Structure formats: C-alpha cells, structure tokens
Amino acid sequence: MGCSRLAEILENVSHDSINRFLLRERYEAKDLFDTVRDLIDLKGGILSVDDTVIEKHYSNPECAELIGYFWSGKYHKSIKGLNLITLYYSDRPEKSVPINYRIYNKKEGKTKNDYFKEMLLEVMTWGLKPSIVTGDSWYSSIANLKFLRNQKLGFLFGVEKNRTISNEPGKYYQVSSLEIPDEGLITHLKEFGLIKLLRKDFRKGDSRHYILYLPDSEKLTNISRQEFITIHDRHWGIEAFHRAIKQVCGICRFMVRNTRAIQTHIFCSLQAFVRLEKMRSTNSISNWYQVQRNLFTLVIREYILSNLPNTCAI
C-alpha cells in the first residue's frame, strides 16, 4: 500500500515518516539471510532459483530505473514491472524461506544468470550447504551447469525439448525424441557429461524434461523416480512463494519511484513473508493466507450483521 494509506491506518504515524523510512534504510540481501538463519537447517536442503515479474502496468520506466519490460509466463509476453530473482531454500522439516535475492537493474550490466551465480556463492560463503540446486530451463545453460559442478553441487533443472544428448560418441538426439523409462535414462548431455534424463507428464498431453546430476555417479544411477518427484515438487514451492508475496505481502503495492525506496519496500515484503512462514512452521496459522482471510472474515461479518436488519426491512 502507499505511504498515505499506511499512515491513515496507523493514525499516529505520518506519511512523511513512512516515506523517510523507505528512503533512509539500507537493507541488503545478507540482512534477509540473517533473519532466516535460525529458522532453517543450513545443511542438506534444496535450493531453488527462479524469478518473477512484479507487475507495474501503469508505471513509467523513464521515471524509475528498476522498472522495465520483462517476459511474463502469466501473460505470455513482456510486461512492465520489476524482475525479482530469488534463491529459495527448503530444509528437511519442510520449512521454506527466501535466503537471497536481487532486483534486476539494467545499469549493472548483469544477466539473470550472473545474479544467480553471484547469489549462490554468497549463500555458500554465509554457511549454506544445500544438497541440490533446482531451477527451470532458463537457468540450465552449460555455463551454469559446469559452474555448479565446479562447486561440487548436484542439480535438477528443466531443459527444453531440443536439448541434445548422446549415448555413444558422435551420435546426438533431442530429448523429445527418446523413450525415457520412469526411473530415468543415464546418458551424456552435450558439452557437459554424465546426467540422468527424466520426463514428467502433465495434463493435456504436456511433457517436460529434466536433467539430474549428482557428484557421486553411483548415487546418480541409483536415484529413484520417487526421489525425483520429491525434489521436483519441492522446487515448485518457489512458485507458491511468488504467489504469496504478491497476494498477501503487498510486494506489488508501492507508489514510489526512488530506487532506494523501492528496494526497501521489496525487502520489507520479503520479511513479511518470512514472518508468515515462521507462524506457519510453528502451527500458529495453517497457511500463509490465513491471517488475511481471518481479517477479512471479521470485517465482512461485522458489516453484514450491522446492515442485515436494514437490508431485510427493504
């Protein structure tokens, strides 16, 4: 919400105070990690990377350097907004939180893949030791895969159907043309090396392909279909996170143009999500949406009960 609306709700806090807060603070990604450090097990979890567009359809990109045009899977076209790239971590007790993030800034001259590698090195420096890294096909470039292998990390990434593999020297096949058993196919990805290729079928005949790599080739061979499904489903938690920060954490609802003010707002929205996840993980709420639903239930009930006699009289 905007500064004016928040000041109206809080009553004793002025619009200018909120605006000064947004401009004054200098929160960094490390501050987010420090917030969640005690909530998670730093070893053995699943680390997912993905990005989402924070929609700002009516903003002027010329007035805010972080606003630009980015591809949206929801709209299937480029739309105006901010591009938020996030590392999202799920540990074994099923607690899931964002642990690092970047807001795409064209002035920095970096790609989303650059941000990904930069963030990964940071969280490992901060003490995180994930068991595996997951992402969609955007992040499955050979450069990224070799980078992860050099870090001695396993990974599960989606790949496009035209990626090529080889079972024997000099012969390459597109992944979409292959018969892939449920347990996966041990093969060689072109320009990378040994991987396990898997396919997952969805409704309406849609299929997606995934490549799995583990530093231990024996474990790679023995990993089961159920283990693949578990890792895959845990990765999709980052999509649920994206929906939650937009629907209940107000990440899209800012009315400032200054870069520092926008960055502070984004950080506060991520902190709001962490607070909800803490409440969910301690069973204070059953899901991230419960606080909002309960709030509106009380308001709507009060309104209906207050106006019901008049309505019935009419």
Side-chain angles (χ1 to χ4, degrees), residues 129-170:
K129 296 181 179 179
S131 63
I132 198 164
V133 179
T134 66
D136 62 22
S137 58
W138 182 275
Y139 296 93
S140 66
S141 68
I142 292 297
N144 280 353
L145 303 185
K146 289 182 176 179
F147 169 77
L148 291 170
R149 182 170 61 188
N150 291 339
Q151 302 302 318
K152 296 180 172 53
L153 290 170
F155 58 75
L156 175 71
F157 280 95
V159 291
E160 296 297 334
K161 61 183 179 181
N162 61 352
R163 290 293 284 269
T164 53
I165 60 92
S166 175
N167 291 324
E168 53 184 296

Side-chain angles (χ1 to χ4, degrees), residues 293-309:
R293 185 175 65 248
N294 290 349
L295 174 64
F296 280 97
T297 297
L298 292 173
V299 172
I300 294 170
R301 180 190 297 125
E302 182 178 348
Y303 177 82
I304 291 175
L305 294 178
S306 298
N307 291 276
L308 187 60

Side-chain angles (χ1 to χ4, degrees), residues 3 15-27 256-265 268:
C3 297
H15 164 278
D16 289 340
S17 295
I18 298 168
N19 196 48
R20 285 195 297 270
F21 165 78
L22 292 173
L23 292 169
R24 180 185 67 241
E25 298 304 319
R26 296 292 186 270
Y27 294 116
V256 289
R257 296 176 177 176
N258 180 274
T259 296
R260 176 54 61 183
I262 293 173
Q263 290 170 337
T264 303
H265 169 84
C268 291

Side-chain angles (χ1 to χ4, degrees), residues 199-265:
R199 176 182 289 143
K200 195 172 191 300
D201 296 322
F202 296 87
R203 289 178 295 180
K204 299 181 180 179
D206 182 30
S207 295
R208 295 181 183 176
H209 298 86
Y210 300 86
I211 52 172
L212 176 66
Y213 167 80
L214 296 175
D216 187 325
S217 58
E218 184 176 348
K219 289 183 178 179
L220 177 65
T221 301
N222 294 331
I223 197 165
S224 68
R225 176 77 179 182
Q226 186 54 52
E227 289 174 292
F228 157 66
I229 295 296
T230 299
I231 297 169
H232 174 274
D233 291 349
R234 293 273 289 277
H235 168 75
W236 279 98
I238 196 170
E239 298 292 344
F241 157 72
H242 287 157
R243 288 194 297 271
I245 58 176
K246 293 177 181 180
Q247 294 178 14
V248 297
C249 298
I251 201 166
C252 301
R253 299 177 65 84
F254 62 86
M255 300 179 186
V256 289
R257 296 176 177 176
N258 180 274
T259 296
R260 176 54 61 183
I262 293 173
Q263 290 170 337
T264 303
H265 169 84

Side-chain angles (χ1 to χ4, degrees), residues 80-95:
K80 275 192 292 187
L82 280 74
N83 194 214
L84 177 68
I85 307 105
T86 308
L87 290 185
Y88 188 75
Y89 185 73
S90 301
D91 66 10
R92 289 169 183 165
E94 302 298 329
K95 291 190 290 291

